[in-house]
Amino acid sequence: MKLLEERILKEGTVIGNEVLKVDHFLNHQIDPVLMQAIGKEFARLFEGLGINKIITIESSGIAPAVFAGLEMGIPVIFARKHKSLTLTDNLYSSTVYSFTKKVSNEIAVSKQFLSQDDHVLLIDDFLANGQAAVGLIDICKQAGAHISGVGIVIEKSFQKGRALVEEQQIKIESLARIASFKDNQVVFVEE
Ligand code: 5GP
């Protein structure tokens, strides 16, 4: 997605060899105009698959997921990272190792919001080693829901996340694919 790539080049900062900071429009400050375009693109890419629900993970997946949900006219569930008082029983849960924070989190979704009747689109802000995606796929499987696709805003293609999703024969679409960080500059995958 050209617009997104331009924003990454203009406002992204490469941290070390593996992390991209995009706090200007996605991970801290959010640009709703860009998010709306992202939502429309996800809706276009996953059209006609009978998707009736979106699942993401708090917190940075929520903005792109909600804009996709708005465009598709379907609800968005975000998996919670900490069990709150109001969300204790009746949970599907999975353990996710966080690439950026280097800690494991238990993620959970209430059983009332996912079932075997659901055709789910999984959306996240970044795909790195695929742990968040695998955790969300695990939760959908526990519910017996069908996973219709994975939509990623920014994929770091030099990490193993895409392979883990493709291994499970799940359609994956990433709006920006990063091949490498060369001299602290982003290099996109040529398509
Ligand atoms: P994974 O589970 O695929 O290893 O990592 C995905 C999660 O880690 C995303 O939900 C995102 O929050 C975070 N993440 C991974 N890589 C990056 C990165 O380069 N930049 C930012 N801002 N977040 C990242």
Side-chain angles (χ1 to χ4, degrees):
M1 186 179 168
K2 196 100 197 95
L3 190 62
L4 174 63
E5 290 187 353
E6 285 168 5
R7 292 295 293 273
I8 292 171
L9 291 177
K10 192 163 154 236
E11 293 168 334
T13 317
V14 178
I15 314 278
N17 293 322
E18 291 192 321
V19 173
L20 178 70
K21 238 181 130 180
V22 283
D23 284 0
H24 287 67
F25 59 84
L26 181 58
N27 292 135
H28 194 6
Q29 173 171 265
I30 291 169
D31 179 344
V33 176
L34 179 63
M35 286 309 127
Q36 188 177 39
I38 284 172
K40 281 187 198 295
E41 187 62 1
F42 279 136
R44 187 184 71 78
L45 290 167
F46 293 99
E47 199 179 357
L49 299 180
I51 292 167
N52 70 320
K53 212 162 264 184
I54 293 175
I55 190 167
T56 187
I57 183 166
E58 66 176 355
S59 53
S60 293
I62 295 176
V66 166
F67 277 89
L70 180 65
E71 202 59 39
M72 296 165 87
I74 57 176
V76 177
I77 310 166
F78 62 94
R80 293 189 169 179
K81 283 184 182 155
H82 305 283
K83 290 177 195 170
S84 76
L85 284 175
T86 51
L87 224 150
T88 46
D89 302 323
N90 276 329
L91 297 173
Y92 298 117
S93 67
S94 193
T95 306
V96 170
Y97 179 76
S98 163
F99 173 75
T100 44
K101 304 205 172 93
K102 314 283 180 218
V103 290
S104 285
N105 278 308
E106 193 73 11
I107 62 162
V109 167
S110 170
K111 286 187 178 169
Q112 66 183 311
F113 298 125
L114 263 186
S115 79
Q116 58 190 16
D117 300 329
D118 288 322
H119 287 69
V120 182
L121 170 61
L122 196 159
I123 285 183
D124 205 5
D125 61 335
F126 271 87
L127 181 66
N129 290 316
Q131 297 310 294
V134 166
L136 290 171
I137 290 169
D138 178 34
I139 280 178
C140 291
K141 284 187 173 164
Q142 289 173 39
H146 182 262
I147 303 140
S148 303
V150 171
I152 299 293
V153 180
I154 303 173
E155 171 190 316
K156 291 181 294 177
S157 307
F158 55 88
Q159 292 175 300
K160 64 174 197 227
R162 173 175 276 258
L164 285 183
V165 175
E166 283 178 339
E167 225 167 61
Q168 306 204 39
Q169 267 82 48
I170 298 171
K171 173 184 165 85
I172 173 167
E173 297 281 359
S174 301
L175 305 188
R177 298 186 66 199
I178 297 175
S180 65
F181 296 134
K182 194 165 178 282
D183 303 325
N184 283 331
Q185 298 299 309
V186 174
V187 180
F188 293 106
V189 172
E190 301 210 12
E191 308 208 57

